[in-house]
Amino acid sequence: MARSVYVTGVGRGDGRQVVELGLMELMSRQVDRVGVFRPLVHGTRAQDPVVQLMRRRYRLDEAMPEAHGMTYAEAADLQAESGLDELVTRLVERFREVARHHEAVLVLGTDFADTNIPDELALNARLANEFGAPVLPVVGGLGEDADTVVAEVRNAHRAYQDLGCHVVAMIANRVAGRSKQEVQRRAAAHLPVPIYVLPEEPALTAPTVAQVVEAVSGTVLLGDGAGLARDVQGYVFGGAMLPTFLDALTEGAIVITPGDRADLVIGSLAAHAAGTPAIAGIVLTLGETPPENVLRMASRLAPGTPVIRTSSGSWATAQRLSTLAGRLTADNARKADTAIGLFELHVDGAELRDRIALSRSERVTPMMFEHALLERARAARKHVVLPEGDEERVLRAAEVLLRRNVVDLTLLGREETIRKKVAELGLDLHLDREPATVPEGAALVDHDGAANAGQAAVRIVDPATSPLREQFAETYTALRAHKGMTLDRAREVVTDVSYFGTLMVRHGLVDGMVSGAVHTTAATIRPAFEVIKTEPGTSIVSSVFFMCLADRVLVYGDCAVNPDPDAEQLADIAISSAATAAQFGVEPRVAMLSYSTGASGAGADVDKVRRATELVRERRPDLKVEGPIQYDAAVDPEVAATKLPGSEVAGRATVLVFPDLNTGNNTYKAVQRSAGAVAVGPVLQGLRKPVNDLSRGALVEDIVNTVAITAIQAQGSDAAAE
């Protein structure tokens, strides 16, 4: 029987979609096949935004049974005609059909909104008991003081417990930030189960520009999909003259002005382009459209920023927007990232997972591996420098990393350029208004100037103007004096973002570096060779790819750095690859690959692999290693039983070391394309501190994964140092 958990509440407005999404994230890391089931739904499944979001984000199988039991209208009719028992029986049958196809099921309780269901709390309790699902009740705290929230939490716990439910924990959501600690302390003193308190997060209740368009029945004159996905953090009504109006602009605001005020349109977009402040968009009222030359200028000033026309006047538009609130939908991944980040920051995931008694699947899917990377990186948050601070993909990845609280970041580049790019993309990186640097030994601080122990933060450093430049030049001169480096020349070299970022790593100002989205591999790796150098006992820097197959993760090395390693270097690569595999939860069983298995072949290439295998066994007798061995004998138990019976590695290899770059690079790409594997990497290994290179074709999710890997490597470096 599938393990399940039932998320429910006690009334409207508790914002439990954040909890539902956070719990799905938690479950999907542990279990391959997670299902979602909503007993009662308004309209149809296609109209359920949370279920649609989960289906898209977690790739839930559309061929599985319906994700909901029946509509509220059907339930009310059935209960009136046949009674509550018949209603419950039907819902249990439909739940079990879903459960039969999944290892775990997340059940989304009723929403207490215009349901016509008598005693809705008792119905949720009964369904949870019939499903055999522990209950996670959510209590809303919006606008309530600490006394009220604590009382509501205690009452909700008692209500579900008295109805026979197994309550695994309680959650108070949307609590005022000033009351969070008090609610946590007082509620915990009176409850036999954990209590998690989530503060109100304005970014989740902020509507998007797309919602504004829908609310005002608007027509989009300018703008793109990314612009329509921006959060609206306020409204500014344009009526004053331009100088006065500019002072009223606020970050993330929608400007509402009559369509004939071309001066305010151009002024708003010019301010946005300068990033002072970055607005969400413009709504033009009264059905007026600016002249074509104004629209052309507007599109060049702030490409992608939405300009919307509505036939309504400013007052009617304001009325329509006054109650507009954000919502989690399948089309807004940014809000989903914010919601999951909020949940993970305030909920002890390991504790909750244990209380649900959700055991990890033996299979490790690509999504489970990627989710585990973010979880491990977040567990001991590190600080990573991104030299390509004005690159769009890097900035989009930075927003994801910050919303998920994975790492603290430093972006390198000109302050003005980065801010303008952030404004053009409509991103929310919470950049300080004043230029920020990271002086040596300084702790990262939040926007109020306090030490930041909670929300991840980002800073911008310009190598050309940073006070660190002189110190870094002196360091680099000393390191390269044997090559004739002078201080004047070093001052120029360290303004290169790759060198500056690498020196930040060396000086301990950041924990690692990720680059390569627009720079060559050589531009990323050469400074690391010169400044950070290899770790003791390792003669060579190499790389691995994590190859995420449908049911397991394999480690391939070296597929990106060394063209033709000799036997000693190949042994180093194998030992480093085994250590990397172990660091990321893959038990190392090392296969030293060749075109021959065992003693069946001869020749220089086979002899090199044979000698490398002997060196690995001499240096690391604790490692399970086999070689030379062919790929099929390494991964296929049936072939292994014929070619190398009794081997601890053959047929079960997890770390596959290729004899040269030509073989490794082609093999990983062939497996990636032909078998549909997800290739995460390359991950550099053998350096004293982590520096990782991106493919110049890297996607945003590739950058996110690589930064998470770099943070985990930094955690390992800290542990080794201790």
Side-chain angles (χ1 to χ4, degrees):
M1 183 66 178
R3 190 65 182 163
S4 58
V5 60
Y6 196 113
V7 181
T8 184
V10 295
R12 299 180 62 179
D14 54 28
R16 91 182 74 136
Q17 296 86 355
V18 172
V19 178
E20 293 167 343
L21 192 58
L23 197 53
M24 174 59 84
E25 182 80 12
L26 183 68
M27 295 171 75
S28 67
R29 293 182 198 141
Q30 297 292 115
V31 175
D32 176 18
R33 291 178 292 113
V34 182
V36 60
F37 181 71
R38 191 185 291 283
L40 299 175
V41 66
H42 295 283
T44 66
R45 185 187 70 186
Q47 297 170 321
D48 188 328
V50 175
V51 172
Q52 289 302 307
L53 170 59
M54 290 180 178
R55 282 189 174 276
R56 180 179 299 181
R57 190 178 184 94
Y58 300 102
R59 308 164 202 164
L60 304 185
D61 192 343
E62 290 289 347
M64 289 296 120
E66 289 292 327
H68 71 273
M70 62 184 71
T71 67
Y72 282 102
E74 291 170 339
D77 290 344
L78 180 60
Q79 184 171 354
E81 293 175 7
S82 304
L84 179 61
D85 287 347
E86 180 62 22
L87 170 62
V88 171
T89 297
R90 296 273 188 92
L91 294 176
V92 169
E93 289 174 353
R94 296 186 183 183
F95 165 77
R96 288 179 176 168
E97 180 64 22
V98 172
R100 273 195 290 273
H101 291 82
H102 298 92
E103 296 175 66
V105 180
L106 175 62
V107 185
L108 315 179
T110 66
D111 60 11
F112 296 85
D114 303 321
T115 60
N116 298 318
I117 300 292
D119 201 355
E120 203 163 337
L121 189 151
L123 175 61
N124 280 291
R126 180 167 178 189
L127 289 175
N129 290 334
E130 297 289 353
F131 295 169
V135 171
L136 183 64
V138 182
V139 172
L142 183 63
E144 305 290 354
D145 59 25
D147 288 340
T148 302
V149 177
V150 171
E152 286 291 329
V153 168
R154 294 180 65 187
N155 289 338
H157 176 265
R158 185 180 301 112
Y160 281 102
Q161 190 175 55
D162 289 349
L163 289 167
C165 295
H166 170 44
V167 179
V168 291
M170 295 293 302
I171 291 185
N173 190 31
R174 306 190 71 183
V175 174
R178 63 182 180 278
S179 302
K180 180 184 182 299
Q181 297 301 326
E182 183 181 357
V183 170
Q184 182 82 51
R185 176 180 54 81
R186 290 174 55 188
H190 295 283
L191 291 173
V193 298
I195 168 73
Y196 307 116
V197 182
L198 279 62
E200 170 70 350
E201 172 52 67
L204 290 174
T205 55
T208 63
V209 178
Q211 286 181 258
V212 169
V213 175
E214 181 182 350
V216 302
S217 301
T219 300
V220 179
L221 303 177
L222 296 175
D224 56 21
L228 293 172
R230 295 177 187 175
D231 290 335
V232 177
Q233 300 172 22
Y235 303 98
V236 175
F237 291 85
M241 298 301 291
L242 183 59
T244 303
F245 171 74
L246 289 176
D247 287 338
L249 288 177
T250 57
E251 194 82 17
I254 280 276
V255 172
I256 301 173
T257 184
D260 58 1
R261 289 297 304 270
D263 58 330
L264 301 188
V265 172
I266 296 301
S268 300
L269 296 176
H272 174 88
T276 55
I279 63 172
I282 299 175
V283 174
L284 305 175
T285 60
L286 302 175
E288 293 285 339
T289 301
E292 186 61 33
N293 59 347
V294 172
L295 288 178
R296 281 199 303 271
M297 183 179 294
S299 67
R300 291 172 182 170
L301 272 173
T305 299
V307 176
I308 302 142
R309 182 187 63 209
T310 179
S311 59
S312 301
S314 295
W315 175 247
T317 300
Q319 285 184 308
R320 292 181 182 181
L321 298 179
S322 61
T323 58
L324 191 62
R327 57 177 181 261
L328 291 170
T329 68
D331 297 323
N332 197 330
R334 296 171 67 200
K335 279 200 188 301
D337 286 330
T338 300
I340 293 170
L342 181 71
F343 181 89
E344 292 171 332
L345 188 61
H346 298 283
V347 174
D348 186 336
E351 179 183 51
L352 183 56
R353 183 177 59 229
D354 290 344
R355 293 187 63 82
I356 297 171
L358 193 66
S359 58
R360 184 179 290 277
S361 299
E362 292 184 5
R363 286 162 48 93
V364 179
T365 66
M367 186 169 65
M368 291 171 68
F369 182 75
E370 291 173 356
H371 288 178
L373 290 179
L374 300 188
E375 182 180 30
R376 290 189 59 189
R378 188 186 306 106
R381 201 168 75 215
K382 294 298 179 181
H383 189 165
V384 176
V385 61
L386 304 177
E388 298 155 328
D390 57 358
E391 159 63 27
E392 177 177 343
R393 290 165 294 160
V394 170
L395 290 171
R396 292 193 184 281
E399 184 185 53
V400 173
L401 291 160
L402 293 178
R403 286 176 179 251
R404 296 293 303 276
N405 296 299
V406 177
V407 290
D408 295 311
L409 294 171
T410 290
L411 303 175
L412 298 186
R414 291 184 64 234
E415 178 95 9
E416 180 183 355
T417 302
I418 293 175
R419 289 183 181 276
K420 183 175 180 179
K421 190 71 172 182
V422 169
E424 289 175 355
L425 297 173
L427 302 178
D428 186 9
L429 299 184
H430 300 289
L431 294 172
D432 295 335
R433 292 303 180 94
E434 297 300 322
T437 60
V438 185
E440 185 173 8
L444 200 68
V445 297
D446 66 17
H447 311 302
D448 297 321
N452 181 11
Q455 190 72 33
V458 62
R459 293 293 180 269
I460 300 173
V461 175
D462 184 352
T465 60
S466 171
L468 295 168
R469 179 180 175 183
E470 188 66 20
Q471 179 186 2
F472 286 177
E474 292 173 358
T475 298
Y476 189 68
T477 302
L479 290 169
R480 304 296 289 172
H482 65 290
K483 294 290 187 179
M485 180 58 59
T486 65
L487 185 59
D488 284 344
R489 172 63 181 143
R491 290 190 182 103
E492 297 179 15
V493 171
V494 301
T495 59
D496 178 277
V497 290
S498 297
Y499 276 94
F500 194 93
T502 306
L503 283 157
M504 291 187 77
V505 176
R506 179 182 175 89
H507 280 265
L509 300 178
V510 295
D511 301 300
M513 183 178 89
V514 173
S515 188
V518 294
H519 289 85
T520 64
T521 295
T524 300
I525 296 180
R526 186 185 300 112
F529 289 166
E530 296 177 1
V531 172
I532 295 176
K533 305 183 183 298
T534 58
E535 60 188 359
T538 301
S539 64
I540 191 172
V541 173
S542 58
S543 72
V544 296
F545 279 90
F546 292 100
M547 301 301 295
C548 304
L549 305 175
D551 59 350
R552 55 184 163 161
V553 176
L554 300 178
V555 178
Y556 284 10
D558 173 10
C559 305
V561 178
N562 297 287
D564 188 17
D566 60 27
E568 287 74 15
Q569 292 171 330
L570 201 58
D572 265 353
I573 291 169
I575 291 170
S576 294
S577 300
T580 300
Q583 186 177 12
F584 287 87
V586 177
E587 181 185 352
R589 293 188 290 272
V590 183
M592 308 293 287
L593 298 177
S594 177
Y595 60 77
S596 169
T597 295
S600 65
D605 291 339
V606 178
D607 291 342
K608 178 179 79 169
V609 174
R610 183 175 290 113
R611 175 57 182 155
T613 305
E614 293 170 356
L615 290 172
V616 173
R617 287 174 175 151
E618 290 172 8
R619 292 168 53 186
R620 287 290 306 277
D622 57 308
L623 274 181
K624 296 176 181 177
V625 59
E626 191 69 69
I629 186 172
Q630 291 162 290
Y631 191 100
D632 58 349
V635 299
D636 189 322
E638 293 184 5
V639 176
T642 301
K643 293 189 173 184
L644 279 176
S647 170
E648 290 186 294
V649 173
R652 303 172 61 237
T654 56
V655 178
L656 297 110
V657 179
F658 294 91
D660 54 59
L661 185 60
N662 180 56
T663 307
N665 192 270
N666 278 296
T667 302
Y668 107 76
K669 288 181 177 177
V671 173
Q672 180 186 31
R673 301 298 178 184
S674 301
V678 175
V680 178
V683 179
L684 296 185
Q685 54 192 15
L687 291 167
R688 291 174 183 265
K689 294 185 177 181
V691 171
N692 279 307
D693 179 43
L694 297 165
S695 162
R696 275 173 283 178
L699 303 175
V700 171
E701 52 265 38
D702 298 328
I703 300 172
V704 170
N705 287 337
T706 303
V707 171
I709 285 171
T710 305
I712 295 168
Q713 287 179 306
Q715 294 169 3
S717 298
D718 290 349
E722 292 174 4

